[in-house]
Amino acid sequence: MRIDILSVVPRLLDSWFGESILQRAQQKGLAEVVVHDLRAYSTDKHKRVDDYAFGGGAGMVMQIEPIDRCISALKAERAYDEVIYMSPDGERLDQPLANRLSTVNNLIILCGHYKGVDERVREHLVTREVSIGDYVLSGGELAAAVLSDSLIRLLPGVLNDETSALSDSFQDGLVAPPVYTRPAEYKGWKVPDVLLSGHEARIEAWRHEQALVRTRERRPDLPGAASETFGEG
Ligand code: ADE
């Protein structure tokens, strides 16, 4: 998968993609993330990429031309499955959306700033708008990093344990069950006996039951909360 991120503050994204799982995914050739500085596509002598809003009002608006020039240059190189604009009023990112988007080959992600982008960008250049939640960030970069991370970790071979993305919270409509590691007892606080029993089927049943209890308590809105009683799944 290749992800091209368009930003007016590309430095914000460098450290994120240069570390840990995301860096390894790129080193293994499983994912490629390329961050583009929109100012490089400005024809203005001061490299401006924003201007006052027509009709007045506070706040600057990102101009269409640098964005269009950058997207056109990328599209001349390869076909893109989606051009995504990160926006608080977009479709809410959840695990099913991440699963779907993780199967595409090439994505462009546009990060907004200031008062947002000229509406014609949304009408003519963008194919999808995604929000990471009902709150407003100062720019789309964090949101683009969240979306990219949620996709890249799903690519086969990115996580060491192939099954671990499948057992994440939300993958089966349930939140994840609790996990423990050594020591088996700390300050008198004990790990549940069943996990030390070595009995695989009982451990699996316990984990499923815990996931169900937690989902009903914490996230009754998830589809898994309504699933059948313990021990059947
Ligand atoms: N840009 C600013 N806030 C955002 C949000 N909540 N989701 C996506 N992009 C954003």
Side-chain angles (χ1 to χ4, degrees), residues 86-88 130-133 135-137 139-140 143:
M86 302 311 301
S87 172
V130 175
S131 163
I132 63 163
Y135 40 82
V136 180
L137 302 165

Side-chain angles (χ1 to χ4, degrees), residues 85-90 110-113 130-144:
Y85 175 51
M86 302 311 301
S87 172
D89 60 5
L110 171 63
C111 304
H113 256 271
V130 175
S131 163
I132 63 163
D134 286 347
Y135 40 82
V136 180
L137 302 165
S138 51
E141 284 75 13
L142 269 177

Side-chain angles (χ1 to χ4, degrees), residues 39-209:
R39 287 180 209 285
Y41 295 86
S42 170
T43 49
D44 176 76
K45 65 172 182 285
H46 302 297
K47 296 287 169 211
R48 281 184 57 175
V49 289
D50 60 334
D51 209 334
Y52 295 100
F54 277 130
M60 307 297 276
V61 177
M62 285 171 68
Q63 294 173 294
I64 189 169
E65 193 190 9
I67 297 170
D68 186 33
R69 292 182 69 214
C70 183
I71 292 175
S72 298
L74 289 170
K75 284 186 172 172
E77 298 287 324
R78 67 194 65 75
Y80 283 88
D81 301 280
E82 299 271 7
V83 178
I84 298 175
Y85 175 51
M86 302 311 301
S87 172
D89 60 5
E91 172 184 8
R92 181 83 67 84
L93 176 63
D94 58 13
Q95 195 61 52
L97 178 58
N99 292 349
R100 285 203 303 281
L101 288 175
S102 73
T103 63
V104 311
N105 293 324
N106 299 314
L107 278 183
I108 291 175
I109 303 180
L110 171 63
C111 304
H113 256 271
Y114 320 115
K115 272 277 166 217
V117 293
D118 186 307
E119 188 63 21
R120 291 165 292 184
V121 171
R122 302 171 80 158
E123 286 170 1
H124 302 291
L125 304 180
V126 162
T127 61
R128 189 187 275 272
E129 305 192 3
V130 175
S131 163
I132 63 163
D134 286 347
Y135 40 82
V136 180
L137 302 165
S138 51
E141 284 75 13
L142 269 177
V146 168
L147 174 61
S148 304
D149 184 293
S150 75
L151 306 185
I152 291 171
R153 64 191 297 286
L154 292 173
L155 301 176
V158 168
L159 297 183
N160 291 334
D161 178 351
E162 278 272 8
T163 61
S164 63
L166 292 176
S167 59
D168 284 344
S169 280
F170 306 117
Q171 277 301 9
D172 47 8
L174 295 167
V175 303
V179 292
Y180 298 86
T181 186
R182 283 182 290 185
E185 183 171 343
Y186 180 74
K187 292 186 175 175
W189 302 324
K190 291 186 179 156
V191 170
D193 286 338
V194 60
L195 295 179
L196 310 174
S197 69
H199 194 301
E200 265 184 47
R202 278 178 48 212
I203 293 172
E204 212 29 66
W206 181 86
R207 288 191 170 140
H208 182 70
E209 176 186 324

